[in-house]
Amino acid sequence: MKKENLAKLLTLSFIAIVLFVTASCNSDVEDNSGQRFSTGQSALLNDLATFNRRVLEETPNTRVSARATNIIIEDIYGAYRGGKKGYDIGKEKYHDKRITAVCTLLGGAIYGGYRSFRAYYYENSEPVMKGDKVNADLGNGDKRTDIDMGEAKTMLYAALAQDLNVVDFGNITVKDSTARKQINLDAKLLKSVNLSQEQLNIGKLHNVVLASFEGNITTQHAYKIESKDYAVNAAMESKEMEELSDMIGTTGETAYFSTADPLPDKVMELFKEIFQDTANDYDTVIMLINKYAEAIDNSDELTDSQKMHIKNGLATALYSFNYWHNKH
């Protein structure tokens, strides 16, 4: 009898150990409500992690330089977080989908552009906000460059002068052919990307912001530009969107743009990892984007807004790659 009890005890102990180890292998994160989220139980994350492993096995590590990749990663995260912040502002303040869409566009473009510009020019020092401008001594040998947030917003106004769904250059002068190539993507490439025009517009507007920061575009008119789209005007004049711009470069920036959304955040982390290791040409970048977009669209674990925020980041990955790839 004692032997039977001992055997049962050993069996139960073994089961407990197995359950503990299994639970420990799952990656747990905590959302902003204090709830635990087990990423190891997510079919979406398992699918993407498996895809990442397969790509790494089949693709030699021939990415662009680590510095260039890090600059683009800053873009991706900036567009993801800034777009979400803009969306939250629009949804909370307005009961209008078009105005919310513009707030999303502006938040993603402005914060994504700022993050990568800072990574490129201020590698060894932090820019300091002074009014609408960010000033700092550059640490990489380039000439001193100021981030003029007010001018960047003027350029966005000009680009959206017709409609929120149309990025128009009728009121913008592009400095030269190099800058034009940085901003715009080849039409054939865009046709092969499985993202909506609205998402691609965040990427393009992000490039407009970058070109503005670098002084490569100007408006053709000195007077204030006003859009024909009421939604663009409402978002541009919103004090909440003004606050979004004002928070950039401040000590409260990180907390302000924090997403605290466990599953989408983990998806972005997986994309960052595979992008850093394999993104070396347009074909690879588009392949990664399309796979992630497909997995996101097919997932029932994400809300529609979460899917949109992730794909805003993916679109910016493509446009950012194009911008920095064609810089010199």
Side-chain angles (χ1 to χ4, degrees):
M1 191 68 176
K2 289 183 178 180
K3 288 184 178 180
E4 291 178 359
N5 289 339
L6 180 59
K8 288 180 181 180
L9 181 60
L10 290 173
T11 301
L12 290 172
S13 298
F14 176 75
I15 292 172
I17 291 170
V18 170
L19 290 174
F20 174 79
V21 171
T22 302
S24 298
C25 289
N26 290 333
S27 174
D28 290 343
V29 292
E30 188 173 294
D31 68 14
N32 55 357
S33 67
Q35 295 178 329
R36 301 298 293 181
F37 175 80
S38 179
T39 61
Q41 296 173 357
S42 166
L44 172 62
L45 296 182
N46 286 335
D47 178 30
L48 294 175
T50 300
F51 167 75
N52 283 9
R53 286 193 296 270
R54 188 174 73 250
V55 172
L56 285 172
E57 290 170 358
E58 297 173 356
T59 307
N61 192 333
T62 54
R63 65 178 184 181
V64 295
S65 72
R67 180 167 182 262
T69 306
N70 289 337
I71 291 168
I72 297 169
I73 291 296
E74 288 293 317
D75 262 331
I76 296 169
Y77 272 98
Y80 165 61
R81 291 169 180 154
K84 184 179 185 304
K85 189 65 180 181
Y87 173 84
D88 290 343
I89 289 172
K91 188 177 180 182
E92 182 177 337
K93 180 175 174 59
Y94 303 98
H95 300 285
D96 186 305
K97 290 183 178 180
R98 287 182 67 83
I99 299 177
T100 300
V102 179
C103 290
T104 304
L105 279 171
L106 297 179
I110 291 170
Y111 195 49
Y114 165 77
R115 295 289 299 185
S116 69
F117 185 89
R118 188 181 75 171
Y120 182 83
Y121 281 103
Y122 299 94
E123 186 178 19
N124 299 318
S125 64
E126 285 289 315
V128 178
M129 288 299 294
K130 292 184 180 179
D132 272 342
K133 290 190 176 183
V134 177
N135 300 285
D137 292 326
L138 305 184
N140 61 1
D142 284 305
K143 64 179 182 179
R144 181 187 179 89
T145 302
D146 295 336
I147 296 178
D148 190 332
M149 199 63 69
E151 182 68 9
K153 286 187 286 186
T154 298
M155 296 302 166
L156 289 174
Y157 227 143
L160 296 173
Q162 301 300 318
D163 185 278
L164 75 88
N165 294 313
V166 178
V167 179
D168 178 59
F169 282 80
N171 292 310
I172 295 175
T173 299
V174 183
K175 181 179 178 180
D176 52 33
S177 59
T178 298
R180 191 171 293 108
K181 193 173 181 180
Q182 285 180 275
I183 296 169
N184 297 300
L185 266 117
D186 183 88
K188 291 181 180 178
L189 283 175
L190 290 175
K191 287 181 180 179
S192 65
V193 184
N194 298 330
L195 294 171
S196 71
Q197 187 59 54
E198 185 177 359
Q199 287 142 13
L200 291 171
N201 281 347
I202 278 195
K204 191 167 187 176
L205 288 172
H206 149 276
N207 283 10
V208 169
V209 171
L210 278 174
S212 173
F213 287 162
E214 292 201 295
N216 289 331
I217 56 175
T218 56
T219 53
Q220 294 180 357
H221 307 287
Y223 57 83
K224 181 182 177 182
I225 297 169
E226 191 166 303
S227 177
K228 295 178 181 178
D229 191 327
Y230 77 92
V232 174
N233 294 327
M236 281 289 190
E237 301 303 322
S238 164
K239 68 177 183 179
E240 287 80 8
M241 290 304 294
E242 184 71 25
E243 180 188 18
L244 183 148
S245 295
D246 290 344
M247 288 302 296
I248 293 174
T250 69
T251 56
E253 175 190 321
T254 300
Y256 180 81
F257 286 98
S258 174
T259 51
D261 206 351
L263 183 54
D265 286 353
K266 184 62 179 177
V267 171
M268 294 303 297
E269 183 181 328
L270 287 170
F271 184 78
K272 180 195 79 170
E273 290 171 359
I274 194 62
F275 189 93
Q276 284 179 320
D277 287 334
T278 63
N280 64 337
D281 55 30
Y282 287 102
D283 289 341
T284 302
V285 172
I286 291 172
M287 181 270 291
L288 296 177
I289 290 171
N290 285 346
K291 169 57 186 177
Y292 270 70
E294 178 186 16
I296 291 161
D297 285 336
N298 293 335
S299 174
D300 59 3
E301 300 176 57
L302 297 164
T303 65
D304 288 342
S305 61
Q306 287 174 326
K307 292 178 180 182
M308 175 187 68
H309 300 321
I310 295 169
K311 289 191 283 186
N312 288 342
L314 300 183
T316 305
L318 177 62
Y319 270 91
S320 179
F321 183 88
N322 181 75
Y323 190 93
W324 297 110
H325 179 72
N326 289 300
K327 181 165 176 59
H328 297 294

